[in-house]
Amino acid sequence: MKVIGIAGSVVGSKTRIAVEQVLNKMNGEHQELKTELIDLSDYELVFSDGRDYRDYSGDTKTVLEKIMSADAYIIGTPIFQASIPGALKNLFDLLPNEAFRDKVAGIVATAGSSKHYLVPEHQLKPILSYMKAVILPKYVFVEEKNYYQKEIVDEDAIFRLNQLADDLVHGINVFSEIQKAKDSAFPF
C-alpha cells in the first residue's frame, strides 16, 4: 500500500511538519506501507486548464502520477483567509473528478487560531467527497501555538496526529475488507 502525504501550500512549513508527523508514525509501525510526502512548495504546478491529467508535463505530470498511484492520503492544508490555499485547490482541479475513488483520506489542518476549525469540514471534505474519497470522519487541527522553532511541541497535538495515522491504517484495512467482500459477492 502506498500512502501519499500532501502538504498543500507553497509557503510556510507548519502543514508539512504536521503531515510528516503522521507519515513518520506510519513508517515507524507499518513497514508494509510505503509513504511519500508531496510538498507543493517543492514543485512548480501549472494552473489547471481542464485537460486530462495525463496530458500535463514536468512537475505537474510527476505530482499527478504520484497522487493517482497512491492507495491512501493524508491531505494537509493551512487555513489562509478562512479558506484552503489556491495551490491546493488547483491541485484538486488538475486531477480527474474520481481521482480518490475508493481511496481513504485523512485530513490535517493548520491555522493561526481555532476560529478556523471548521474550514476543513465546510471546504475540504466536500471536495474530497465529490472526488469519491473515503474520508476519515475525524481530522486534526493544529494551531500556531502548538509549534515552537519548527517543531510541534504540544503533546495533545502530537497524540492526535499519531491517532490519525492509526485511524488511516485502520481505515485502509477496513475498506480493503469491504472491497474484497463486494468483489466476491459481485465477481463480474
Side-chain angles (χ1 to χ4, degrees), residues 46-71:
V46 299
F47 286 108
S48 172
D49 61 15
R51 68 184 122 152
D52 188 283
Y53 79 95
R54 294 168 290 209
D55 294 335
Y56 288 96
S57 61
D59 281 355
T60 305
K61 180 180 181 91
T62 299
V63 168
L64 297 177
E65 286 176 348
K66 287 180 181 190
I67 289 171
M68 292 299 292
S69 71
D71 302 296

Side-chain angles (χ1 to χ4, degrees), residues 4-24:
I4 294 282
I6 299 171
S9 178
V10 295
V11 297
S13 61
K14 289 181 177 66
T15 302
R16 178 187 46 77
I17 292 165
V19 171
E20 283 177 332
Q21 175 70 34
V22 177
L23 295 177
N24 289 340

Side-chain angles (χ1 to χ4, degrees), residues 36-188:
E36 182 176 355
L37 175 70
I38 294 176
D39 185 339
L40 295 186
S41 68
D42 293 337
Y43 298 92
E44 291 188 31
L45 301 182
V46 299
F47 286 108
S48 172
D49 61 15
R51 68 184 122 152
D52 188 283
Y53 79 95
R54 294 168 290 209
D55 294 335
Y56 288 96
S57 61
D59 281 355
T60 305
K61 180 180 181 91
T62 299
V63 168
L64 297 177
E65 286 176 348
K66 287 180 181 190
I67 289 171
M68 292 299 292
S69 71
D71 302 296
Y73 308 90
I74 291 294
I75 299 175
T77 183
I79 309 299
F80 297 141
Q81 305 293 354
S83 182
I84 66 171
L88 183 58
K89 178 62 170 87
N90 183 58
L91 176 64
F92 295 141
D93 290 344
L94 288 163
L95 291 163
N97 293 348
E98 298 186 2
F100 300 119
R101 176 177 289 285
D102 299 335
K103 297 179 181 185
V104 181
I107 298 171
V108 173
T110 60
S113 75
S114 62
K115 67 183 173 184
H116 299 301
Y117 178 78
L118 291 175
V119 170
E121 197 71 47
H122 295 287
Q123 293 182 12
L124 196 49
K125 281 187 174 184
I127 293 168
L128 294 173
S129 178
Y130 175 76
M131 296 178 83
K132 312 296 188 276
V134 177
I135 307 164
L136 294 179
K138 293 182 184 178
Y139 57 88
V140 177
F141 187 85
V142 186
E143 292 180 64
E144 174 123 8
K145 68 181 181 181
N146 301 137
Y147 293 84
Y148 180 71
Q149 295 185 346
K150 297 193 177 209
E151 186 176 327
I152 300 171
V153 295
D154 181 79
E155 291 300 318
D156 181 61
I158 293 169
F159 174 81
R160 290 181 291 115
L161 290 164
N162 289 341
Q163 185 64 52
L164 181 63
D166 292 342
D167 290 349
L168 187 71
V169 172
H170 181 70
I172 293 168
N173 293 335
V174 167
F175 195 73
S176 177
E177 291 301 316
I178 291 169
Q179 285 299 108
K180 285 178 191 173
K182 285 168 66 175
D183 292 345
S184 66
F186 302 103
F188 41 88

Side-chain angles (χ1 to χ4, degrees), residues 21-33 35 165:
Q21 175 70 34
V22 177
L23 295 177
N24 289 340
K25 169 77 156 97
M26 293 170 133
N27 286 333
E29 295 183 3
H30 302 281
Q31 283 71 41
E32 73 278 11
L33 297 177
T35 65

